[in-house]
Amino acid sequence: MELATAIVLLVLALVILFAAIKIVPQGREFTVERFGRYTRTLKPGISFLTPFVEGIGRRVNMMEQVLDVPRQEVITKDNAVVQVDGIVFIQVMDAAAAAYRVDNLNYAIAQLAMTNLRTVVGSMELDEVLSQRDQINSRLLHVIDAATSPWGVKVARIEIKDLQPPPDITSAMARQMKAERERRAVITEADGEKAAAIARAEGAKQAAILEAEGRREAAYRDAEAREREAEAEAKATAMVSEAIARGDVNAINYFVAQKYVEAFARLADSPQQRTVIVPSEMSALVGSLAGVGELVKTVREDTPRPPPRSGRGSAVPPTGG
């Protein structure tokens, strides 16, 4: 009998001990209720309760949680139907408010995110919905965070996970993208042709400039050669005139041979002449050429060489005579 009483007392002591001592794990908070009324919140660690008077009400997860927003069809401002889903990152900041101000916290936040997602996407056109996801996320975050604040919940961020337009709109967007890329390719090709034409024109311009400079140089050289030839001719004429004045036969032969050779050359170069008649007085022509050779040799020995020109752009002085 005493043994049974001892066992009962031991069991009662263990029950009281377990009811009085509570260990709260990290990342959790427990609410304490006294006769069904909330009194306080237990933080992580060991805590003591009044047995049979106080008890644990709700065990609240204080870590950041991820909630899925179910996929739904949303009509945009321009009457396009898109399928949208997302995820919401939340964290309970007040365990008592999350436990007693809303029933089924996760379900409530998911439904709130769905309704606000329809509202935000429905106020935008399809192109804006597809290109401005960050703006949608920020608008949703502002609205849902303000709505869940009385529940003791902080909404960290909201992300649009998938946004799928109808197949016909997707096909139209693909064709539009292809047309845009083709337009860019045509513009790029036109720019390349324009650059090539400019390069060719620049090259032709440089070539024309170089050709003009070459012609100018050639004209300068020709003028210089004609100047020297005229000087030599004037010198030779002066010497021949002096020789004729002195009665030199070679001077007379020079003029006769020169005219003779010119006439014979024209006769040989005539396109209508098929047969060249060689005059029988070839010995006289040879004698004249000998006289011309001696005269030219004398002229070359007596004519001084002109000094070289210092500049290529100097003007050619007129010949005297």
Side-chain angles (χ1 to χ4, degrees):
M1 190 69 180
E2 294 179 357
L3 180 60
T5 304
I7 292 175
V8 171
L9 292 176
L10 180 61
V11 172
L12 182 60
L14 291 176
V15 171
I16 295 174
L17 181 63
F18 280 109
I21 299 175
K22 297 297 180 181
I23 298 176
V24 181
Q26 185 68 37
R28 298 284 197 276
E29 288 186 3
F30 295 169
T31 61
V32 178
E33 297 176 354
R34 179 177 295 175
F35 300 114
R37 182 180 180 181
Y38 168 77
T39 57
R40 68 182 188 276
T41 301
L42 300 182
K43 303 297 181 180
I46 188 170
S47 301
F48 298 95
L49 303 179
T50 303
F52 308 109
V53 176
E54 295 179 335
I56 300 299
R58 305 290 177 87
R59 291 171 170 83
V60 182
N61 185 357
M62 304 300 292
M63 295 181 290
E64 188 170 338
Q65 305 175 56
V66 181
L67 303 180
D68 284 328
V69 179
R71 180 182 294 271
Q72 58 179 331
E73 290 186 352
V74 181
I75 300 177
T76 61
K77 186 177 180 180
D78 52 353
N79 297 324
V81 180
V82 294
Q83 294 184 354
V84 187
D85 60 357
I87 52 177
V88 182
F89 296 84
I90 65 171
Q91 185 175 11
V92 177
M93 309 302 294
D94 188 349
Y100 299 109
R101 290 191 178 183
V102 61
D103 186 19
N104 198 343
L105 177 65
N106 294 346
Y107 178 77
I109 294 177
Q111 295 300 314
L112 183 63
M114 289 178 62
T115 55
N116 283 277
L117 184 60
R118 284 196 296 267
T119 302
V120 173
V121 174
S123 63
M124 302 172 66
E125 295 184 355
L126 179 61
D127 292 339
E128 296 176 347
V129 172
L130 296 177
S131 61
Q132 299 181 5
R133 290 195 180 189
D134 293 339
Q135 182 178 355
I136 297 176
N137 295 337
S138 62
R139 291 176 62 181
L140 287 174
L141 178 62
H142 177 72
V143 173
I144 297 177
D145 186 48
T148 57
S149 180
W151 300 344
V153 177
K154 173 66 177 177
V155 179
R157 56 188 179 277
I158 299 178
E159 299 290 341
I160 299 297
K161 187 166 60 175
D162 189 16
L163 215 166
Q164 184 177 355
D168 54 346
I169 296 180
T170 303
S171 178
M173 292 172 60
R175 292 195 301 270
Q176 181 182 3
M177 180 182 65
K178 181 180 179 181
E180 180 65 20
R181 293 186 180 277
E182 290 179 353
R183 183 184 69 84
R184 293 180 181 179
V186 171
I187 293 176
T188 303
E189 184 178 359
D191 291 340
E193 292 178 355
K194 176 182 177 181
I198 292 175
R200 286 194 296 267
E202 187 67 23
K205 174 183 176 182
Q206 295 296 331
I209 292 174
L210 293 176
E211 184 179 358
E213 291 180 354
R215 289 196 302 268
R216 185 181 67 177
E217 182 68 19
Y220 169 74
R221 299 294 183 183
D222 292 341
E224 186 177 7
R226 288 194 300 270
E227 177 187 359
R228 294 184 179 181
E229 183 180 359
E231 292 176 356
E233 185 70 22
K235 185 67 175 178
T237 303
M239 293 184 65
V240 169
S241 299
E242 293 176 359
I244 293 174
R246 294 193 303 267
D248 192 350
V249 180
N250 289 331
I252 299 174
N253 290 336
Y254 168 75
F255 286 105
V256 174
Q258 183 179 15
K259 299 299 182 181
Y260 196 84
V261 170
E262 291 177 357
F264 188 75
R266 286 195 296 271
L267 179 63
D269 292 339
S270 177
Q272 304 297 330
Q273 186 69 27
R274 296 185 178 180
T275 303
V276 178
I277 301 175
V278 179
S280 59
E281 293 83 359
M282 186 59 69
S283 60
L285 177 61
V286 173
S288 299
L289 292 176
V292 171
E294 293 180 2
L295 184 59
V296 171
K297 182 178 180 181
T298 303
V299 171
R300 287 182 177 178
E301 291 177 355
D302 295 339
T303 303
R305 291 183 176 272
R309 292 195 172 269
S310 58
R312 52 184 296 184
S314 60
V316 179
T319 57

